[in-house]
Amino acid sequence: MTETERIYYERRAPEYDDWYLGTGLFAARARPGWPEELEELRGCLRALSMRSVLDVACGTGFLTQHVPGRVVGLDQSPGMLRIARGRLPGGRVLQGDALCLPFGARAFECLMAGHFYGHLDRDMRARFLAEARRVAERVLIIDAAWRDDVQPEELQERVLLDGSRHRVYKRYFRPAQLAEELAGEPGAARVGHAGRWFVAVMA
């Protein structure tokens, strides 16, 4: 992650959950079916049966808090982690680099990344997957679904409540496409959620 990206996510930390909750700058945005699909995604996470889960780029812990078992949240942003720490009283949060994870081989049963993978270009995604497969037996990617009203890849300008503007790379995924990218071999990935707004694949 570049220094510019670090600044963006640190500034966004206090308002990050507005995106999930449809508040703040997202209050006027029409997202039909969003609350119902978000609750369905939460249900998928609650149903996970894993001994240990590492949530990379956990942000505020908005999704992490629904994962059962031994959970570790990792993020680059101290501001994000301050919020996540309050949501994960039984878990552990630490600051770290998603592309150089501070854990040994197969330290976790599952590595999860929610809305992080789609901010990496193709080469960075390959690097991240190699590192994820090193530290975990399984990889769960949750990201934004590719819809007819968005391009598969975009360089987006994002405005925060403080008025600052930031350019952010964003990739959207169709379920089968994400499964193929994560699989590594035929049949090695399973689509756990495929909706208008979210896609989740376990590999």
Side-chain angles (χ1 to χ4, degrees), residues 26-41:
F26 297 88
R29 184 174 296 189
R31 298 190 291 189
W34 177 280
E36 295 80 8
E37 191 175 333
L38 180 57
E39 183 53 37
E40 185 178 338
L41 180 61

Side-chain angles (χ1 to χ4, degrees), residues 69-92:
R70 180 171 69 86
V71 180
V72 175
L74 179 139
D75 203 279
Q76 282 275 18
S77 165
M80 295 282 194
L81 290 173
R82 278 193 292 273
I83 299 170
R85 190 169 288 111
R87 286 186 165 144
L88 303 171
R92 177 184 171 206

Side-chain angles (χ1 to χ4, degrees), residues 51-62:
R51 297 185 306 276
S52 57
V53 177
L54 170 65
D55 187 3
V56 174
C58 67
T60 62
F62 189 90

Side-chain angles (χ1 to χ4, degrees), residues 92-197:
R92 177 184 171 206
V93 299
L94 67 153
Q95 189 173 4
D97 184 349
L99 299 179
C100 186
L101 296 169
F103 303 103
R106 297 300 172 96
F108 296 89
E109 185 174 0
C110 180
L111 179 146
M112 164 182 156
H115 300 281
F116 169 71
Y117 191 72
H119 290 302
L120 305 174
D121 64 26
R122 180 174 291 276
D123 290 343
M124 295 287 275
R125 294 199 303 272
R127 284 182 58 193
F128 172 68
L129 281 180
E131 186 70 345
R133 290 168 179 147
R134 180 184 69 81
V135 304
E137 299 170 27
R138 304 181 190 181
V139 178
L140 171 62
I141 300 296
I142 301 166
D143 226 295
W146 183 6
R147 311 180 307 276
D148 291 339
D149 60 338
V150 294
Q151 296 297 317
E153 289 183 284
E154 296 179 344
L155 190 59
Q156 300 175 340
E157 183 177 67
R158 298 188 174 183
V159 182
L160 300 181
L161 285 171
D162 64 6
S164 62
R165 295 177 178 272
H166 307 264
R167 301 282 280 179
V168 176
Y169 170 82
K170 182 62 183 173
R171 181 77 167 90
Y172 296 86
F173 297 96
R174 296 198 191 279
Q177 172 212 5
L178 181 57
E180 181 179 353
E181 190 167 309
L182 299 184
E185 59 186 61
R190 177 180 60 84
V191 176
H193 177 85
R196 172 177 170 79
W197 303 105

Side-chain angles (χ1 to χ4, degrees), residues 38-50 62-69 112 140:
L38 180 57
E39 183 53 37
E40 185 178 338
L41 180 61
R42 289 181 179 125
C44 291
L45 293 175
R46 295 185 193 110
L48 288 176
S49 179
M50 302 286 176
F62 189 90
L63 293 179
T64 327
Q65 64 185 326
H66 300 291
V67 178
M112 164 182 156
L140 171 62

